[in-house]
Amino acid sequence: MQLSRDALLRAYRQMKTIRAFEDRLHDEIQTGEIAGFTHLYAGQEACAVGVCEHLGPKDYIVSTHRGHGHCIAKGCDVIGMMKEIYGSREGLCKGRGGSMHIADVEVGMLGANGIVGAGAPLAVGAGITAKGNGTVSIAFSGDGACNQGTTFEAMNLAVVLKLPVIFVFENNHYSEHTGVAYAVGAESMAARAAAFGMRAEMADGIDFFAVHDAMGELIDYCKAGNGPAAIELDTERFFGHFEGDPQRYRGPGELDRIRAERDCLALFRRKVTEAGLLEHGDIDAVDEEVMALIDRAVAEAKAAERPGAEHVVEDVYISY
Amino acid sequence: MATKMIRDVIVETIDAEMARDPDVIMLGEDIVGGNGSAGGPEAIGGIWSTSTGLWAKYGPDRVIDTPISESAIIGAAAGASLSGKRAIAEIMFADFIGVCLDQIWNQVAKFRYMFGGKSRCPVTIRMIYGAGFNAAAQHSQAIHGMVTAMPGLKVVMPATPADAKGLLTAAIRDDDPVIFLEHKALYATKGDVPEGEYVLPFGHARQVTQGDDVTILATGLMVSFAEAAARNLAEEGIGCDLIDLRTTSPLDEEAILDSVERTGRLLIVDESPPRCGLATDLAALVASKAFASLRAPVEMVTGPHSPIPFARELEAAWLPSRDKIEAAALRLMSYRG
Amino acid sequence: MAKLRAFTMPKWGIEMTEGVVAEWMVEEGKPFRKGDLIALIETDKITNEVQAEYDGMFPRLIAVTGETYPVGELIAVLAEPGDAPDPAEVDAFVAGFRPANASTASRSGKGAAPSDAKAPAAPSPQSSAPASSGGARIPADANISPVARSFAEEHGVAIAGIVGSGRGGRITYQDVLQASRPPAPAGGSDPVDITPIGNALGEIFASPLAKRLAAQHGVDLSAVSGTGPRGRICKADVLARVAPAAPEASSPAAVALHFEPPAAGTSEVVKMSPMRKAIARALSHSKSTIPHFYLRSRVRIDGILGLRAQAKAATGEAPSVNDYVVRACALALARHPDVNVQVHGDEIHRFARADIAVAVATDKGLITPIVRGADHLSVAAISREIKLLAEKARQGRLSPEEFQGGSFSVSNLGMFGIDQFDAIINPPQGAILAVGAGTRQPIEIGHALAFATIAELSLSCDHRAIDGAVGAQFMQTLKQLIEEPALLIG
């Protein structure tokens, strides 16, 4: 599918924003100023953006603990996100969720989730709503969540109820510290999903266009009332499972190799410039704007209002 | 006013709410029954007969039979509710909370809080609990202690048909997640039920009997056992203030403390094992806020620290009973302070 | 002999407790084959077709169609297809049939649940001292907490009979404390009414206190809006609605005085303390159930006053008039044992010893500590004892055996200038003496007018146990003892 110039720039901007956001966080976390566990998405941008560029605010996504990328791609406020990760009262979740629970229900982002596999059933529920709206619901999972019982229950239920849910499996080859070759018994996640009775595809998660095209087809398929679908995207994560992970499970030179050979931003740039769709200058300009945005986000987050003890018991209920 | 069984009240209330609000949907195992079978849909209408006729009226898009997948049921109810629906999920036996605990505890209960107060998950999770049918250890438990302890959930336990109607209506309309606990041995209980729309607010206990000597707190099936005990005790000149809590979260603290301040004697009946449960929670509440009023130590009539056994005699011995409640009340009265 | 089997109301599903035989599909005596439809049985969910599980025949159909039978009840007798059983045999089978134990899903908690060991029976009201082992040492390996052990040893409490409430039967301090105290007084009250206020369905959303106040003040809760939590009606909402007292209409012919009605009558609500409630309960019960009658006598207390003066001169202090009266009552009770009684339902308990309760006013209310064995105590000893008890009473330090029991009370309001009053009997006692102030009054001595110090006595008696003549004789003796107080000594 041929994207317009604006659409291409937008897609790149989204991916670059994610990359810059995550790279910057990686540096800031070393200072010790950011509390708790953070799981960075750098390297997988083409997956999030390739999917979310098709979606509007009435389409729903549910994410994993590695949720910053999905959040940005779905249109959450970047500065609000940074503030949330810094734990500020001005953050997207008023400092009560943090990195692992970042959400904005109003734009259809039903939360990053600290429990592996918990998102899939939620996405099926959103699929019930989506069916009534004529929209779709996306369950993002990793190669770890794909083995969780809740994922299987969700896939079966989606098939049985014929819901417009797409299970997007981002295979970055490691579920925490264990390789996918060990942890996934089936031939592939897609094959396993197909055995559940749904249409299942595979695509190169490093190539934005491959992801985007495949998703376009699947979304049409679902909206046509054919029931759920699944897609397995082969991708890489550039950082550890969590920040602070020594990554001893990587082979020698692996990190360098994947950054050199499996960088989706570099691939995008090469493809669009070689095809004459965009100039390097256009892309560089986006880079500059994005870096400035991230600088601003961090600066604002560091200065933003801190929450107080009186905010601890807020919003446990709507009314009690 | 009409005389109805609790199970009929449940169906009628869900029906009324589904008619009133097109966003109300229902999910559960065999709530329709018969899908994919020769008998066809509505072969059962719910194994507890609490959804009979709803599928015929509202169709498969709103009355949704599910495979046996409790996590998926709760998760789907939650995801639908987060995205604008008002879902009722049925868990056939409350004991199955084990297989969907994460979706209730870490997801539904915590969304509003974690998402900065910006999300709304108006899900009602109906769970069928309780002993009395010799269904043994994995199909007889009461789980209110566990869920009352979870911030973010509301917990409701009706004991009468009238209360079931008012509380279920309130639960479905409540924008917070509600665990609605239905005792399987109370389904055929009959009682007077007001006609028309009727909402009972949470955190408002029911005064069952009124007396000056002993405060008895109970929920669910235990209320009728305690009432029988109270009537016997009244014959002996001992007046009991029997309070049906109706909801354990929020809790009607005022009614409890007000009563204990008058009687000075507290008896709690709880259909649960004794540790870390509702009985100990209420005893601690009273010990910390009404200590000066107590004339005797708190009596807690609970099951023992064991799973629920199968044989008739064993289950009967496990459960609190009218006799055990009366004996506890007499101990309270004969305490020499 | 035919092989007969029972055909009982089946149990389908965990909840089924009863069913109705809608129709018998075979006739009595007619054989049927396996798989034939033999009955239609209705439960509150569905009508089930019952198919024969083997070839057979019903020599007797018992269940009446349309009637309800509990699960497990015999509804027909089954036999082999070729059989022709004797009707007598069938009768015997029916008569001998016992249904299996029905499910113990009892809704009212009756019957099926085995009772716990009964709570200890209400003990007799004797004001006996608690069990004492005279300080026996407790074995080192006894299952008892350290504090409980030291208390038990110090107070000589026998632990052999104590059932420990701690883990593994360990005896706790609480257990020992309970064992050391005399048994709680017998209940045995009349039945109480436990109907709650405001228990209607579609009830008002108001707190319990608000409901009680509303009932007390006649406030219609349906008209009140709530400002409590979750919009509940609370005490303040009700009190705000309590109507002020209506001003009296002035008559037109009256002088035009500007009469301000009293300020709005919101009363100050003081919750009854447990003690006040106990007093209220006991005395209401007493006044309403005991047939009181009153014997009044005027006694000259000059003799007592003389003795007092002597004692004062001799030792610097003297017993009060009341102390002498108590001694006199004790001796009179010893001579009239029919007045020295407690009444318990159908029983009259007579006492050999005079345990007399003396009314003491404390700021919490009236309390009546007991002088035990007053018939064996001198007036001086009685005086000391009463002082001690009164002090303890005012400090709230009386132990139960010091104010529970006794057969007779003396209440003196003379120090407040009361001439005469009638007291309410303190159950289970049989009588109470009310003593008024001693006042100088003219009397006839010889044929001349003289003055004497007269006190008015009123004896309230429980007519269930004490008749007029009996009480009167007691009063005669009492009067004599008071007027000739030399008789009080010894």
Side-chain angles (χ1 to χ4, degrees), chain C residues 96 216 317 366-367 480 483:
Chain C
Q216 221 174 305
E317 49 180 42
L366 179 72
I367 195 162
Q480 190 193 25
E483 292 187 340

Side-chain angles (χ1 to χ4, degrees), chain B residues 194-279:
Chain B
E195 298 289 353
E197 240 185 53
Y198 168 60
V199 178
L200 268 180
F202 297 161
H204 179 55
R206 175 174 69 110
Q207 185 96 41
V208 184
T209 65
Q210 195 160 303
D212 290 328
D213 298 314
V214 177
T215 298
I216 306 182
L217 306 178
T219 56
L221 179 65
M222 300 297 103
V223 176
S224 60
F225 291 11
E227 194 174 353
R231 300 218 178 275
N232 279 6
L233 290 163
E235 291 298 310
E236 294 170 47
I238 298 171
C240 295
D241 236 24
L242 171 58
I243 294 172
D244 169 8
L245 295 176
R246 284 173 166 161
T247 62
T248 56
S249 175
L251 183 70
D252 191 347
E253 272 192 32
E254 193 180 349
I256 297 170
L257 295 175
D258 183 70
S259 176
V260 175
E261 282 170 11
R262 289 184 300 109
T263 66
R265 300 183 190 89
L266 179 62
L267 195 170
I268 305 162
V269 192
D270 192 25
E271 187 184 334
S272 292
R275 299 292 311 277
C276 298
L278 180 67

Side-chain angles (χ1 to χ4, degrees), chain A residues 58 60 84 91-94 96-98 101-106 109-115 117-119 121-133 150 153-154 156-157 160-161 311-320, chain B residues 25 27 60-61 64-85 99 102-103 106-107 109 111-121 150-154 174-177 248-251:
Chain A
K58 282 292 178 209
Y60 303 100
E84 181 60 29
L92 260 193
C93 302
K94 299 196 186 148
R96 287 204 302 267
H101 309 113
I102 209 158
D104 192 348
V105 175
E106 267 148 58
M109 199 304 181
L110 303 185
N113 209 303
I115 305 291
L122 298 173
V124 171
I128 294 176
T129 309
K131 186 170 177 178
N133 288 343
T150 45
E153 286 188 36
N156 182 55
L157 186 59
V160 161
L161 298 181
H311 299 129
V312 171
V313 292
E314 227 180 31
D315 290 325
V316 180
Y317 299 93
I318 295 172
S319 71
Y320 197 56
Chain B
I25 63 174
L27 298 96
D61 284 342
I64 302 170
D65 253 5
T66 65
I68 301 178
S69 318
E70 279 76 12
S71 281
I73 294 170
I74 302 295
S81 300
L82 272 180
S83 54
K85 298 290 182 196
V99 296
D102 181 77
Q103 290 292 325
N106 281 327
Q107 309 302 323
F111 286 147
R112 182 162 180 89
Y113 187 79
M114 292 192 302
F115 297 166
K118 296 179 190 169
S119 68
R120 193 182 71 147
C121 190
M150 295 177 190
L153 298 176
K154 294 180 180 169
D174 198 315
D175 284 347
D176 285 310
T248 56
S249 175
L251 183 70

